Amino acid sequence: MKIIRLALIVVIAAAFVIGGRWYMYISNTDSPYNEVGIEINSRMPAPLRKWGCDKLHATFGNVLPPYGCQAGAENRDWL
């Protein structure tokens, strides 16, 4: 039972850290090209990735979209 509890705590802590890092990335105002943020965002489920890309696009609309937020044949359009 202690192992299950420890595993659950580790999973919840990892989700909290990764989710917090992802939210810090999509709500930043410096650059949409943070490597760790791009990787986390590109691996999120589609609705969360879309929401994150929309938030990044609202902040950085005039730049090329980062990996995971690209759409179109030439990857120059935002999702």
Side-chain angles (χ1 to χ4, degrees):
M1 194 62 159
K2 287 185 179 185
I3 292 175
I4 294 172
R5 184 181 310 167
L6 179 63
L8 185 61
I9 289 171
V10 168
V11 168
I12 290 172
F16 183 74
V17 169
I18 291 170
R21 182 70 188 236
W22 173 72
Y23 187 77
M24 285 175 26
Y25 166 67
I26 63 165
S27 64
N28 75 40
T29 58
D30 295 332
S31 170
Y33 304 117
N34 177 289
E35 292 176 8
V36 175
I38 289 171
E39 277 300 315
I40 294 171
N41 191 53
S42 68
R43 297 177 191 278
M44 284 294 193
L48 289 176
R49 186 175 68 233
K50 173 78 169 110
W51 181 74
C53 290
D54 289 344
K55 195 156 174 61
L56 286 170
H57 187 239
T59 306
F60 305 104
N62 296 331
V63 299
L64 291 174
Y67 176 75
C69 293
Q70 300 168 336
E74 296 182 15
N75 295 328
R76 294 184 171 270
D77 300 323
W78 288 81
L79 282 178

